[in-house]
């Protein structure tokens, strides 16, 4: 029984920041915060994917390509293109979702502002136009979701632009690395054969 009372007393304390957020900007600002958490979570996931998954997969791709017996036939070049496209498609897989979340954020903020202004005008119609301070407070509260949505969208757009640039640069450099790895392997073999002792 005391444990249930303690948990029930902790619940309002844990929800107090959320309730203050809803009171200051309306319920849609909580939606914007959830979208921001999802957006930044995807951004963090892409950073970890780049370091922990993509780089080892790229090294394995280069190793497999160098280990092939020939590299200049049509089938070999087609196979290389398929492998690189598959690797890059896994890298850019969440990009459409990131763009969608960036587009949703300002629209959700605008929706919160519109609903907040409707609430302000309804309260003014009931109470009259003599309360300028209450009207200013309501307008400021109504514009907060648009501010939050635009801020999240700008940060998300910066990340999406940077991520697209990284993918394009990786696409260009991957073919160069594959060609350079083949050349280095050939040079290493030729130097090994030239240094073999004659009987």
């Amino acid at each position: 029984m005391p444990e249930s009372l303690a948990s029930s007393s902790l619940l309002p304390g844990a929800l107090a920041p959320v309730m203050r957020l809803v009171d200051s900007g309306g319920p849609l600002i909580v939606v914007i915060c959830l979208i921001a958490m999802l957006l930044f979570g995807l951004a963090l996931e892409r950073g970890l994917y780049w370091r922990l998954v993509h780089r080892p997969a790229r090294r394995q791709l280069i190793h497999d390509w160098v280990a092939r017996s020939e590299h200049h036939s049509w089938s070999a070049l087609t196979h290389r293109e398929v492998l690189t496209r598959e690797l890059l498609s896994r890298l850019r897989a969440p990009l459409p979702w990131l763009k969608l979340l960036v587009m949703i954020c300002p629209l959700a903020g605008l929706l919160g502002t519109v609903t907040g202004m409707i609430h302000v005008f309804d309260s003014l119609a009931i109470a009259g136009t003599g309360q300028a301070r209450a009207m200013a407070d309501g307008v400021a509260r109504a514009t907060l979701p648009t501010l939050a949505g635009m801020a999240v969208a700008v940060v998300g757009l910066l990340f999406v632009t940077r991520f697209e640039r990284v993918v394009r640069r990786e696409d260009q450099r991957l073919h160069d690395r594959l060609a350079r790895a083949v050349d280095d392997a050939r040079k290493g073999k030729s130097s090994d054969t030239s240094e073999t002792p004659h009987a």
Side-chain angles (χ1 to χ4, degrees):
M1 192 68 165
E3 293 180 358
S4 62
L5 289 175
S7 62
S8 63
S9 63
L10 286 176
L11 186 60
L15 292 178
V18 179
M19 297 306 295
R20 284 198 299 269
L21 193 63
V22 172
D23 185 57
S24 61
L28 276 172
I29 201 166
V30 178
V31 176
I32 295 172
C33 289
L34 293 176
I35 293 173
M37 290 171 60
L38 183 58
L39 181 64
F40 298 144
L42 282 174
L44 180 62
E45 185 269 338
R46 282 297 92 184
L48 293 175
Y49 179 87
W50 173 268
R51 289 182 175 273
L52 302 178
V53 179
H54 179 76
R55 285 180 176 176
R58 182 180 63 193
R59 285 195 295 268
Q60 184 63 38
L61 173 62
I62 294 173
H63 179 269
D64 294 342
W65 174 249
V66 171
R68 286 180 61 95
S69 59
E70 52 88 22
H71 304 93
H72 298 289
S73 66
W74 179 83
S75 61
L77 294 177
T78 304
H79 183 66
R80 185 185 77 172
E81 189 66 24
V82 168
L83 292 178
T84 54
R85 290 295 147 204
E86 183 181 355
L87 185 66
L88 292 172
S89 66
R90 289 198 301 265
L91 180 62
R92 64 163 65 95
L95 191 57
W97 293 104
L98 290 168
K99 290 182 177 179
L100 179 64
L101 292 174
V102 168
M103 287 192 303
I104 286 176
C105 279
L107 296 177
L110 185 61
L111 181 61
T113 297
V114 170
T115 54
M117 293 301 293
I118 290 173
H119 180 70
V120 169
F121 291 144
D122 284 343
S123 62
L124 284 176
I126 295 172
T129 59
Q131 299 179 352
R133 185 171 183 178
M135 180 180 177
D137 183 54
V139 170
R141 194 178 304 175
T143 54
L144 188 59
T146 296
L147 175 64
M150 293 295 290
V152 174
V154 166
V155 176
L157 187 61
L158 291 174
F159 173 77
V160 168
T161 305
R162 171 68 177 167
F163 184 61
E164 284 181 330
R165 189 180 302 121
V166 166
V167 172
R168 284 196 302 268
R169 187 177 61 195
E170 180 69 8
D171 190 7
Q172 295 170 357
R173 290 183 176 178
L174 187 56
H175 292 86
D176 296 338
R177 287 180 178 179
L178 290 170
R180 196 183 311 122
V182 172
D183 292 339
D184 292 342
R186 284 180 179 173
K187 290 177 182 177
K189 286 182 181 179
S190 63
S191 63
D192 290 341
T193 55
S194 62
E195 291 175 1
T196 53
H198 297 285

